[in-house]
């Protein structure tokens, strides 16, 4: 188990999570991976993500250390992001179940983020309602990329936000797929491809982002919109698009 030293006093509760998760807590998602919110003895609400046991060749890959399991990556990446001042729910622990050395179920536990909004809400946002958040989000992303951090699943459900007064606050989740290294213009602009929202909303984000990073705004917009078009054309062939898509 990997345990954040800050939560050493809660180790007994944390150790119990694998045995009580089915019976306790509030379910957020129940697919191949189960996500629940539990309450620690001190009243703190925690988010528990249980990863399914790897299958086929992945059993060998994850069990032998050829690649770190998703939950372990989520824990270690969260620690790294916190050190950089990039907001993500505070990591508490990572737990593995193994049988004969083979990885079974694994668990990533973090503080439950109470931000009430995700970027899904921007899907059919109307002009006049999204300009401020576009500017704030561009700044958040530009700073993250300048710190050489790239979220490889920068999708609407993985971006949580709230507004306090005039300020917007963002937190990124589902962070087991990250890239740490130089984020150039092409890579950075392509990172916006999966976002929901009107075409103008995305364009505003990209233009502000480009200005903050010293990129050519026309070229940045061209790169971002090309990546967006390619992604959504592929996606729409297999799935229903749940917002009014403008390409």
């Amino acid at each position: 188990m990997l345990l954040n030293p800050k939560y050493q006093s809660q180790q007994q509760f944390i150790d119990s999570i694998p045995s009580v998760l089915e019976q306790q807590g509030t379910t957020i998602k129940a697919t191949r991976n189960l996500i629940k919110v539990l309450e620690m003895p001190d009243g703190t609400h925690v988010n528990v993500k249980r990863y399914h046991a790897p299958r086929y060749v992945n059993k060998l890959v994850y069990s032998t250390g050829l690649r770190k399991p998703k939950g372990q990556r989520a824990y270690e990446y969260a620690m790294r992001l916190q050190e950089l001042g990039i907001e993500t729910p505070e990591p508490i622990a990572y737990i593995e179940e193994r049988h004969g050395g083979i990885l079974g179920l694994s668990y990533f536990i973090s503080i439950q983020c109470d931000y009430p909004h995700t970027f899904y809400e921007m899907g059919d946002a109307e002009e006049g309602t999204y300009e401020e958040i576009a500017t704030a989000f561009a700044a958040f992303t530009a700073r993250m990329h300048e710190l050489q951090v790239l979220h490889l699943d920068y999708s609407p459900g993985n971006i949580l936000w709230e507004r306090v007064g005039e300020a917007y606050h963002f937190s990124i989740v589902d962070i087991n797929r990250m890239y740490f290294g130089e984020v150039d213009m092409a890579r950075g602009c392509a990172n916006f491809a999966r976002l929901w929202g009107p075409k103008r909303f995305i364009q505003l984000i990209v233009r502000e982002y480009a200005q903050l990073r010293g990129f050519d705004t026309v070229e940045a917009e061209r790169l971002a919109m090309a990546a967006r078009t390619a992604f959504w054309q592929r996606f729409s062939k297999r799935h229903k698009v749940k917002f009014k898509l403008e390409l």
Side-chain angles (χ1 to χ4, degrees):
M1 179 172 72
L2 300 175
L3 178 64
N4 186 334
K6 181 177 176 180
Y7 295 95
Q8 191 72 46
S9 63
Q10 300 294 326
Q11 184 165 358
Q12 183 176 353
F13 168 78
I14 294 165
D15 286 339
S16 75
I17 286 177
S19 61
V20 305
L21 188 61
E22 288 287 350
Q23 296 77 35
Q24 297 182 14
T26 301
T27 301
I28 303 299
K29 185 178 180 181
T31 52
R32 291 182 71 194
N33 298 322
L34 175 67
I35 303 177
K36 278 192 165 186
V37 176
L38 300 181
E39 185 175 331
M40 290 202 295
D42 66 357
T44 302
H45 288 92
V46 300
N47 183 289
V48 180
K49 184 169 184 177
R50 185 181 70 191
Y51 295 88
H52 65 85
R55 300 174 181 174
Y56 311 118
V57 69
N58 283 334
K59 279 189 177 182
L60 178 64
V61 170
Y62 290 128
S63 299
T64 60
L66 291 173
R67 192 179 186 201
K68 291 182 179 180
K70 293 179 180 180
Q72 182 178 349
R73 279 181 272 141
Y75 176 85
E76 293 178 353
Y77 292 168
M79 283 292 201
R80 189 166 178 177
L81 294 180
Q82 294 248 314
E83 290 173 359
L84 291 170
I86 298 171
E87 191 168 347
T88 191
E90 185 173 38
I92 296 174
Y94 167 67
I95 301 172
E96 289 182 353
E97 294 180 352
R98 286 182 178 258
H99 309 280
I102 300 299
L103 178 66
L105 299 174
S106 56
Y107 307 78
F108 171 53
I109 303 103
S110 63
I111 295 295
Q112 173 66 12
C113 180
D114 59 1
Y115 288 0
H117 305 287
T118 72
F119 259 45
Y120 283 123
E121 297 172 29
M122 308 311 297
D124 291 313
E126 296 181 358
E127 190 169 337
T129 66
Y130 54 65
E131 287 76 7
E132 289 184 355
I133 192 171
T135 299
F137 180 67
F140 172 79
T141 307
R143 178 176 176 273
M144 185 163 59
H145 290 180
E146 289 285 357
L147 290 170
Q148 300 192 333
V149 176
L150 187 80
H151 195 321
L152 295 177
D153 189 6
Y154 214 37
S155 53
N158 293 337
I159 303 162
L160 312 181
W161 64 275
E162 73 168 353
R163 181 176 179 175
V164 179
E166 297 301 312
Y168 287 88
H169 301 270
F170 302 94
S171 181
I172 54 174
V173 298
D174 204 1
I175 57 171
N176 65 81
R177 294 178 59 241
M178 304 290 289
Y179 167 80
F180 296 94
E182 182 182 356
V183 182
D184 60 16
M185 180 166 64
R187 193 186 292 255
C189 291
N191 206 209
F192 299 110
R194 297 186 179 195
L195 296 183
W196 289 25
K199 184 176 182 179
R200 180 174 177 270
F201 172 63
I202 307 301
Q203 289 171 327
L204 288 175
I205 293 173
V206 174
R207 291 168 191 164
E208 180 69 16
Y209 169 84
Q211 290 177 0
L212 290 170
R213 296 209 61 199
F215 297 150
D216 179 86
T217 56
V218 174
E219 178 63 7
E221 185 176 330
R222 186 191 69 79
L223 290 168
M225 302 314 286
R228 180 173 185 265
T229 296
F231 173 80
W232 285 106
Q233 284 180 338
R234 291 194 307 270
F235 183 92
S236 62
K237 291 178 181 178
R238 306 186 305 274
H239 309 281
K240 181 181 179 180
V241 179
K242 297 181 180 180
F243 67 100
K244 183 181 177 181
L245 180 59
E246 302 171 279
L247 296 178

